[in-house]
Amino acid sequence: MHATLDFITIAEAARRIAARELSPLALTEAKLARVGALDAQINAFITLTAERALAQARAAEADIAAGRYRGPLHGIPLALKDIYATAGILTSGHSKVGIDNVPAEDSAVSAKLEAAGGVLLGKLATNEFAHGGPAFDAPWPPARNPWNPEHFTGGSSTGAGAAVAAGFVPGAMGTDTGGSVRNPAACCGTVGFKPTYGLVSRYGVIPNSFTFDHCGPLAWTVEDCALMLQAIAGYDARDGASVPAVIPDYRAALKRDLHGLRAGVIRHFWEEDLTVSDEVAGAMDTALEVLRDLGAKLDDVRMRPLQDYTDVKMTIAETELFAIHQKELIERAGDFGLPFLSGTLAGCLFGAVEYVQAQRERRRMLSEMAPLYERFDVLVTVSSAPAPRFDRISSLRSWIGPNIHTVFNVTGGPAVVLCNGYSAGGLPLAMQIAGRPFDDATVLGAAHAYERATQWRSRRPALRPGTPRAAVTPPPALAGMAIEPSVRELVEQQARRHALRLNDMQMALLCEVAPYARAMADRVRRNLEKSVEPANVFRFPDAGASLHHGA
């Protein structure tokens, strides 16, 4: 099982490869062997690109031997969430709808990782099109949590969280629309980093929400995430949200102490807005003491209630997601899994006015962050963990209560999740550090200092070849709620208006979500000043460049 390579970090592997102590081919072979021995238990991969990986590893080895070393990702096995386009390789979205989708072109991130010398081990499981919950009615089974395969990985970058935690790859790419990098990182005990919106190109990634989608890495350490970010950050004119920001040396910005760092602790998120266990609260208190001992100056700070951010995000994102998949929802709704439909169909319940009002409210939320960014270098709060059992997952969870990660999708700045303890049952716990837009280096630096001051990184899940895949009970598709006649009437009206032809189960899914979706819509319809513009106001592509050249 090549035990010394099972959980090697990117940084350590890169050091050994550069020193000619480790062969990229040997590393790739070791990872493929581990996947072959263990992935039947975990289901992290949809497509394993073994032949391509071995060819890339041989090429990397030859280049390095010839003195053409490209940097710390050269010869490193990596994997991609299966919504990143890969030329000539299935990009399914973990969906029957995408089962024949073989792109002709790479996504920007795929191309950049290959240019950096990365070895593509394969494409990873996800919640269907990066949305909903674990689907047992999809063409591939949902990924399992390596710490306890009876538990979920968190979504939606399910395979990315599982693949890193299981030691299949030292780094993987996920996407984050409402926590979909950070949630699997929290549940699987890895590091997950959501960069600033616009820092990493989304070109070639199957969209979920144009407003909130981010591409981000998962790895065992903060340093490894910094190395991956270095390779993928940068302006791309093909992505309308891409920003021509200055890209610093993220690895060089990592810190060993935090003297002078001003950290705002958003305590009310876990003490008032969410219900967390004593274990989670205790882990946060201990983590804050570590940050204080490292020299950080901590002060409690308040933001809006979490529900406000969730209302805005859901109103915008579900509307956009419905629009993205509208054609297939009309023509072949039955080819989608029930967890995906449970959320996505609700996009037809939001009106144009509510979408615009949510975007206008988001503009106010962004403005409210300015004084916090002036006062604090980073913001610290809890994350989502421990991982739930499959049979205790509710399709209504994202509608009933707030999401701890969504706030930083709405505000757009960088946010990292990393382990800050373990539950009595051995499942990882996690914390979250966020920061100013395009100050990703400071966020990574603070997280790295905390990571080095604690011992959580030394733990790894114990997986044994030959262990049968754990039997799990899929979560129920329906909550069994009584549906008011007025709700059913509204749902049927909206379904007809959007040309949806839904069967009884699909109609029931939409009816159960409808009261919560409408409540969110009602809460975002505020009496705003007429001058408050939406957060997604129009700008000319490359307008600054045109003016600079005298156009």
Side-chain angles (χ1 to χ4, degrees):
M1 288 295 291
H2 308 86
T4 58
L5 300 179
D6 286 350
F7 295 105
I8 193 168
T9 64
I10 293 174
E12 174 61 15
R15 183 193 67 76
R16 292 176 60 185
I17 287 172
R20 313 286 177 88
E21 299 170 0
L22 175 62
S23 154
L25 182 59
L27 177 59
T28 300
E29 289 174 337
K31 292 303 180 184
L32 287 170
R34 186 166 175 84
V35 172
L38 296 171
D39 196 40
Q41 303 172 38
I42 302 301
N43 305 131
F45 281 88
I46 287 177
T47 302
L48 189 67
T49 54
E51 291 185 9
R52 175 189 173 115
L54 291 170
Q56 287 181 323
R58 292 188 188 99
E61 196 161 310
D63 281 347
I64 293 166
R68 296 187 294 270
Y69 181 61
R70 301 184 198 176
L73 296 190
H74 203 174
I76 302 295
L78 303 169
L80 300 167
K81 185 176 183 175
D82 203 27
I83 62 172
Y84 284 87
T86 40
I89 301 170
L90 176 68
T91 302
S92 71
H94 206 133
S95 175
K96 184 178 179 181
V97 174
I99 202 165
D100 297 320
N101 179 37
V102 179
E105 182 184 10
D106 281 330
S107 70
V109 165
S110 307
K112 283 194 169 189
L113 290 175
E114 183 173 0
V119 172
L120 179 63
L121 216 65
K123 306 295 288 297
L124 299 167
T126 172
N127 289 351
E128 188 171 10
F129 290 122
H131 194 62
F136 289 81
D137 55 355
W140 302 271
R144 310 289 191 91
N145 195 314
W147 295 93
N148 185 335
E150 295 181 6
H151 290 243
F152 189 38
T153 60
S156 66
S157 303
T158 60
V164 173
F168 297 159
V169 286
M173 284 301 304
T175 59
D176 194 311
T177 305
S180 292
V181 162
R182 289 162 292 156
N183 190 29
C187 290
C188 294
T190 72
V191 179
F193 184 67
K194 181 192 78 66
T196 299
Y197 184 79
L199 183 64
V200 176
S201 174
R202 304 165 304 166
Y203 179 79
V205 179
I206 298 173
N208 181 315
S209 164
F210 305 111
T211 299
F212 300 119
D213 285 351
H214 300 66
C215 300
L218 295 93
W220 268 115
T221 67
V222 175
E223 181 181 21
D224 286 356
C225 283
L227 293 174
M228 292 182 71
L229 179 63
Q230 199 73 54
I232 61 176
Y235 177 67
D236 182 357
R238 299 170 298 177
D239 177 357
S242 187
V243 176
V246 174
I247 308 300
D249 185 334
Y250 294 110
R251 188 187 213 175
L254 302 180
K255 297 179 180 298
R256 290 179 177 269
D257 66 64
L258 299 178
H259 290 287
L261 186 84
R262 303 167 301 165
V265 179
I266 318 174
R267 188 179 294 275
H268 70 91
F269 281 178
W270 76 88
E271 291 187 342
E272 300 172 24
D273 299 0
L274 297 172
T275 300
V276 303
S277 68
D278 291 342
E279 284 182 319
V280 170
M284 282 304 302
D285 288 340
T286 302
L288 294 175
E289 285 304 311
V290 172
L291 295 175
R292 189 173 283 112
D293 290 344
L294 286 167
K297 184 181 186 305
L298 274 58
D299 287 301
D300 288 355
V301 65
R302 296 190 71 89
M303 293 176 62
R304 290 197 192 195
L306 273 176
Q307 189 65 55
D308 285 11
Y309 301 98
T310 299
D311 291 346
V312 164
K313 186 266 178 183
M314 294 290 278
T315 302
I316 295 169
E318 299 304 318
T319 303
E320 293 178 347
L321 185 65
F322 182 88
I324 289 164
H325 294 283
Q326 184 178 21
K327 181 177 185 293
E328 290 79 15
L329 289 169
I330 291 172
E331 296 176 354
R332 51 188 297 199
D335 286 343
F336 291 100
L338 295 178
F340 178 85
L341 291 176
S342 178
T344 307
L345 287 173
C348 76
L349 301 175
F350 296 107
V353 171
E354 292 148 355
Y355 177 85
V356 172
Q357 294 294 63
Q359 288 283 11
R360 296 176 76 207
E361 193 61 40
R362 183 181 179 228
R363 169 69 69 183
R364 295 211 312 171
M365 291 173 167
L366 294 171
S367 297
E368 291 164 3
M369 295 303 293
L372 295 185
Y373 294 145
E374 290 180 6
R375 183 180 171 193
F376 299 108
D377 302 306
V378 297
L379 301 169
V380 182
T381 194
V382 75
S383 184
S384 56
R389 286 170 53 99
F390 278 100
D391 58 359
R392 296 179 185 171
I393 296 170
S394 168
S395 60
L396 292 178
R397 173 66 186 87
S398 60
W399 296 96
I400 293 174
N403 180 329
I404 185 58
H405 299 120
T406 287
V407 52
F408 299 120
N409 291 87
V410 172
T411 55
V416 64
V417 155
L418 68 165
C419 185
N420 71 341
Y422 289 84
S423 71
L427 293 170
L429 307 176
M431 63 189 283
Q432 189 171 191
I433 302 175
R436 306 180 191 94
F438 300 102
D439 195 13
D440 301 59
T442 296
V443 170
L444 290 168
H448 178 73
Y450 171 83
E451 182 181 81
R452 290 185 63 87
T454 59
Q455 299 300 313
W456 309 125
R457 283 279 62 85
S458 64
R459 293 202 196 186
R460 298 291 185 269
L463 296 169
R464 295 177 176 81
T467 302
R469 186 165 62 193
V472 299
T473 302
L478 293 171
M481 297 168 48
I483 304 301
E484 295 288 337
S486 60
V487 171
R488 178 168 287 277
E489 182 180 356
L490 169 68
V491 166
E492 291 175 346
Q493 178 188 32
Q494 290 300 100
R496 286 193 302 270
R497 180 171 176 265
H498 290 86
L500 296 172
R501 297 181 294 274
L502 305 180
N503 62 30
D504 290 345
M505 171 61 82
Q506 294 160 356
M507 185 64 71
L509 288 172
L510 186 51
C511 284
E512 284 197 340
V513 167
Y516 302 103
R518 293 309 309 157
M520 287 181 174
D522 289 342
R523 288 194 293 265
V524 300
R525 284 191 292 166
R526 300 173 184 266
N527 295 320
L528 299 171
E529 293 290 332
K530 291 182 175 60
S531 60
V532 177
E533 292 189 333
N536 59 346
V537 292
F538 174 82
R539 67 179 176 85
F540 285 102
D542 300 321
S546 297
L547 290 171
H548 179 72
H549 290 94

